[in-house]
Amino acid sequence: FEALFSVPSKQFICRSIEGNTYLPAPCTSNKMIADSFSERDEVSTDRHSDGAKNTIRASSFGEGTTSTRQKKGDGILDTGNTDTVLDYITNGCATNGCSAWMTPKEVVIKVLAFANPTLSVACDVASEEIPLPNTPGFICVGRVMTQLPNFCDIQMDDRVMCILPEAEQGHTELYAKLPFHALIKVATELNAWSQIALVVTYLPALQALQSCPFTMKNKKVLVIGGVGPVCQALVKLANYHGARRVFVPVQKKHRDLIRSLGAKTLGPTHTDWGPDMIGELDIVVDAIGENNFVTSKAALKKHGHLVCIGCSAIDSRDKNSVMTTITKKMVEMRLKSSHRTTLYSILPSWTKDRESFVQDFEYLSNLLSSGEIRPIAKRVTIEDYRSTAAKSTTLGGIVICDPFLE
């Protein structure tokens, strides 16, 4: 067991769009600890097979998650069939069948802000769809209320973020019991709701630009997605990292907004901007997929790169139609066959490359702290969130509930 307690300190060196490094910050890798103990837990319960490292995080993401809610009348918090919030706070992970030799499976947090992006969908053929494909269904920031073993890099009273693929409905307003492996520690200097806004806007924008095989400096970039929140973030980050020129096809009523972000506006459809842009662009980031991405790819230079982050033009059609499904699958296969095209979505980054996800989030947090970027989201009160009026919109962004907003 000595190896379990001798996890070395790791120096985080993040990837930058300019090709430089940034954000050196010594810390212990939460993934290394969680994977080590999750794997040992599987061995002890005969859940492994053929010697493969099927950790709890990989095999049961979100499994067994139960959120807390406050009962009306007696004010007692219910966290499931047997456990209570009081048990978790006073006894720590022991109430969950864990010993001091294993990381806890679930942790109680006091909710500071949360969002269920997939519960409010907006799909417009002229803009990016809200949310983008493979966006997490539940994102929460809160304060840990559970006493945890000393070897965990997350401790009681720390601020953490939880990301789950499926939406959590109706039980996240006061407290939540969440899987330990789905938590990361976050800074307390920023507002909790703005940290969620980074995850649903700037982080996918940053990673989409990073997926190109070259730096952003002095490149001509086309962002196809109208005034959607991720596309606004793309314009801001492309300019910040030295793009020569950023172009955005947009409707006339939104031209002033796009120009204020530092981009040049084009006509809204591919027939408007296509003839003038064929073979002129280094990077095209497309969230619409108009004309099945044919014009977007034709606009690239010889060594240019296309990044597909959505396909609202296809998704806005009848989703129950067999032809729509076949068309979407064929377009996806064609795009994947090209080495000059990347199909990006945020959820695989969280589930398969947690370390890069955390590094990029830390980098964006620094930009937010320094005032270089601002949150792009719709912040609402708990009362507004409960009402049907609190819906995500293309211009306002994804709804984020701040329980302490009055």
Side-chain angles (χ1 to χ4, degrees):
F1 292 150
E2 288 183 22
L4 301 180
F5 292 93
S6 59
V7 179
S9 178
K10 187 165 185 177
Q11 188 81 3
F12 274 170
I13 302 295
C14 296
R15 304 165 288 125
S16 74
I17 293 178
E18 297 94 332
N20 300 321
T21 58
Y22 56 79
L23 214 74
C27 64
T28 302
S29 172
N30 181 47
K31 179 179 181 297
M32 293 172 63
I33 295 178
D35 283 353
S36 297
F37 282 87
S38 298
E39 184 177 347
R40 201 192 77 84
D41 181 56
E42 288 181 348
V43 172
S44 65
T45 55
D46 295 329
R47 293 176 60 182
H48 66 293
S49 62
D50 300 327
K53 292 185 177 180
N54 298 323
T55 63
I56 294 176
R57 179 175 62 80
S59 61
S60 58
F61 195 91
E63 181 179 329
T65 303
T66 307
S67 300
T68 64
R69 59 188 173 87
Q70 189 160 9
K71 288 184 176 180
K72 295 181 179 180
D74 57 8
I76 298 175
L77 292 170
D78 179 18
T79 62
N81 294 329
T82 57
D83 301 323
T84 66
V85 171
L86 184 59
D87 291 331
Y88 275 77
I89 295 175
T90 56
N91 300 324
C93 63
T95 61
N96 199 30
C98 295
S99 69
W101 297 97
M102 294 184 291
T103 54
K105 292 182 179 179
E106 293 177 320
V107 175
V108 171
I109 70 169
K110 182 178 181 179
V111 175
L112 302 178
F114 70 94
N116 288 307
T118 55
L119 295 185
S120 183
V121 179
C123 190
D124 180 3
V125 69
S127 185
E128 71 177 70
E129 52 190 310
I130 307 295
L132 290 175
N134 275 333
T135 293
F138 175 73
I139 308 173
C140 175
V141 172
R143 183 165 61 89
V144 176
M145 303 295 290
T146 302
Q147 187 69 45
L148 297 170
N150 292 333
F151 57 76
C152 295
D153 60 344
I154 295 176
Q155 293 295 315
M156 189 171 183
D157 291 328
D158 284 345
R159 181 184 288 191
V160 294
M161 176 181 289
C162 177
I163 299 179
L164 297 173
E166 303 297 332
E168 294 283 333
Q169 304 184 50
H171 307 301
T172 55
E173 297 176 358
L174 298 174
Y175 294 88
K177 188 170 69 173
L178 302 169
F180 179 82
H181 59 72
L183 302 179
I184 59 171
K185 189 175 178 179
V186 297
T188 59
E189 290 77 14
L190 299 174
N191 291 327
W193 78 273
S194 65
Q195 291 174 316
I196 296 178
L198 288 181
V199 172
V200 295
T201 54
Y202 283 98
L203 200 144
L206 177 66
Q207 293 189 336
L209 294 176
Q210 286 177 337
S211 66
C212 298
F214 40 76
T215 64
M216 193 65 44
K217 195 169 183 63
N218 294 324
K219 298 298 189 297
K220 295 173 71 174
V221 183
L222 175 65
V223 177
I224 306 174
V227 293
V230 175
C231 290
Q232 292 184 48
L234 280 163
V235 173
K236 190 72 175 178
L237 290 176
N239 282 324
Y240 180 78
H241 290 96
R244 179 182 175 186
R245 199 68 181 268
V246 181
F247 303 92
V248 180
V250 69
Q251 294 177 339
K252 187 176 181 179
K253 62 182 178 180
H254 296 311
R255 287 178 182 174
D256 289 342
L257 172 60
I258 295 301
R259 288 169 181 165
S260 70
L261 298 175
K264 178 178 175 59
T265 59
L266 303 174
T269 69
H270 72 102
T271 56
D272 297 319
W273 56 264
D276 297 327
M277 288 292 174
I278 299 300
E280 294 292 325
L281 300 166
D282 298 290
I283 300 171
V284 176
V285 184
D286 196 341
I288 296 179
E290 194 177 16
N291 195 27
N292 293 340
F293 299 97
V294 172
T295 310
S296 298
K297 197 162 186 178
L300 295 173
K301 294 180 179 179
K302 183 177 180 180
H303 299 291
H305 200 79
L306 170 64
V307 184
C308 305
I309 62 174
C311 52
S312 60
I314 300 177
D315 288 339
S316 61
R317 305 171 190 171
D318 184 7
K319 293 186 178 182
N320 296 324
S321 171
V322 175
M323 288 305 300
T324 299
T325 304
I326 294 175
T327 299
K328 189 172 182 179
K329 182 60 67 174
M330 292 181 65
V331 170
E332 181 180 343
M333 292 174 60
R334 176 172 57 84
L335 293 173
K336 285 183 176 180
S337 67
S338 173
H339 68 279
R340 298 173 59 200
T341 303
T342 299
L343 275 65
Y344 170 81
S345 58
I346 186 174
L347 198 54
S349 172
W350 167 259
T351 57
K352 299 178 182 179
D353 193 4
R354 184 76 59 86
E355 185 174 299
S356 294
F357 184 99
V358 172
Q359 291 170 358
D360 292 337
F361 177 79
E362 294 279 354
Y363 172 64
L364 292 170
S365 296
N366 279 1
L367 292 184
L368 184 60
S369 297
S370 62
E372 297 292 344
I373 58 177
R374 62 175 182 81
I376 307 174
K378 189 176 180 181
R379 183 187 184 192
V380 300
T381 64
I382 190 67
E383 289 77 15
D384 289 338
Y385 189 86
R386 291 166 179 163
S387 71
T388 57
K391 296 292 184 181
S392 301
T393 62
T394 299
L395 191 59
I398 290 176
V399 169
I400 299 174
C401 178
D402 184 345
F404 302 98
L405 180 65
E406 296 181 355

